[in-house]
Amino acid sequence: MMNIALVTGVTSGFGRAIAECLIKNNYLVIGTGRRTAKLNELKEIFNDKFIPLNFDIQNLAEIENALASLPQEYQQIDLLVNNAGLGLGLEPAHKAELADWENMIDTNVKGLVYITRLVLPKMVERNSGHIINIGSIAGTYPYPGGNVYGATKAFVKQFSLNLRADLANTNIRVSNVEPGLCGDTDFSLVRFKGDQEKVTSLYENVDYIKPEDIANIVLWLNQQPPHVNINSVEVMPTAQTFSALNVARKNK
């Protein structure tokens, strides 16, 4: 029987790569996003293996209506991949745009919570399912300008662990994938608000992680035996490692 996966944010980057990888491995993918044209493009490519759901993940009513519109045979979701998320700005906290902070919280935290809360009860009812959240190493390692973005990913990390605690004595699995420096996505272009020069300089001469790498990890996590739960996977390119702690020195 074909597994049914719901993947949020499939119109680009990780989400699209995850959807494509799952479909190629005989999953039926329900893909969500705001960009109708991109969703239709995936539908044209994958036909009946892809079900598009168009909504804004920040809008609970839209999510509820979209999920309710699914035919009964697609209501049983085996795998939920909470991929939709964004980073905005790299200004220090005292200069950051409050609207950017709100946008990240509404997407990375509230949007993920909405989807999870709506999908989880049916998994519990069947005593079967897997939730894979896409976090970030920013949820573990602070850096200048990370402020609220890092905080939202720390939420994803802790929420994933607490879900497992709540789901004790069930067969439902929860995993958190925490990528480091990744390229070939819209993430940095969004974060730098369209400044392609900044994006280019960030990835120049670096063998960064690609969306396909994360997609393969998601597939691997879900294809482990049902009694195996991988709590978290932290992924960095070999080009990236840990920096020394900053020390501010006084002027003489």
Side-chain angles (χ1 to χ4, degrees):
M1 185 176 177
M2 185 178 291
N3 285 328
I4 298 175
L6 192 157
V7 183
T8 64
V10 298
T11 55
S12 66
F14 290 165
R16 179 163 181 146
I18 291 166
E20 291 176 348
C21 179
L22 292 175
I23 288 169
K24 288 173 183 176
N25 284 274
N26 204 35
Y27 289 68
L28 183 141
V29 171
I30 302 165
T32 84
R34 290 182 301 173
R35 293 182 284 184
T36 307
K38 292 287 186 180
L39 290 173
N40 290 340
E41 182 182 305
L42 285 168
K43 181 65 176 175
E44 288 180 13
I45 295 171
F46 295 112
N47 299 310
D48 58 354
K49 292 184 178 180
F50 180 79
I51 309 297
L53 279 186
N54 181 220
F55 59 76
D56 183 347
I57 202 163
Q58 297 184 8
N59 189 314
L60 178 58
E62 285 188 18
I63 299 170
E64 289 175 324
N65 291 336
L67 292 177
S69 74
L70 288 170
Q72 191 61 39
E73 62 267 29
Y74 300 140
Q75 295 276 343
Q76 181 175 310
I77 295 165
D78 302 293
L79 169 62
L80 169 62
V81 183
N82 281 315
N83 164 75
L86 79 166
L88 289 170
L90 270 174
E91 297 83 9
H94 60 288
K95 295 181 179 179
E97 295 286 341
L98 192 56
D100 287 347
W101 284 7
E102 290 179 318
N103 200 349
M104 286 186 282
I105 292 167
D106 287 345
T107 303
N108 301 355
V109 175
K110 292 171 69 175
L112 181 147
V113 165
Y114 291 158
I115 290 279
T116 302
R117 180 60 182 83
L118 293 172
V119 170
L120 186 57
K122 289 185 179 179
M123 287 185 174
V124 172
E125 187 179 307
R126 299 192 318 271
N127 195 27
S128 175
H130 193 178
I131 297 171
I132 299 179
N133 296 323
I134 305 299
S136 169
I137 63 167
T140 303
Y141 308 106
Y143 58 88
N147 45 67
V148 167
Y149 175 72
T152 65
K153 292 305 183 177
F155 174 90
V156 174
K157 183 187 189 84
Q158 196 62 24
F159 183 59
S160 301
L161 295 173
N162 278 279
L163 276 176
R164 281 288 300 145
D166 281 347
L167 295 166
N169 302 316
T170 75
N171 293 325
I172 299 163
R173 299 182 290 170
V174 183
S175 306
N176 186 32
V177 181
E178 304 167 23
L181 183 66
C182 302
D184 297 344
T185 74
D186 291 343
F187 178 84
S188 291
L189 194 62
V190 171
R191 185 162 208 177
F192 297 140
K193 301 183 179 178
D195 190 332
Q196 185 61 56
E197 189 175 334
K198 275 189 180 180
V199 174
T200 301
S201 65
L202 177 63
Y203 297 110
E204 192 173 10
N205 299 322
V206 177
D207 289 327
Y208 46 75
I209 293 170
K210 295 178 171 58
E212 294 76 18
D213 301 323
I214 301 303
N216 288 332
I217 290 169
V218 167
L219 177 66
W220 175 79
L221 288 170
N222 188 241
Q223 290 189 334
Q224 294 308 297
H227 69 281
V228 175
N229 186 86
I230 309 297
N231 295 328
S232 63
V233 178
E234 183 180 287
V235 190
M236 290 185 186
T238 53
Q240 184 181 41
T241 187
F242 313 99
S243 297
L245 294 174
N246 184 65
V247 176
R249 301 188 184 278
K250 296 178 180 179
N251 294 324
K252 291 183 178 180

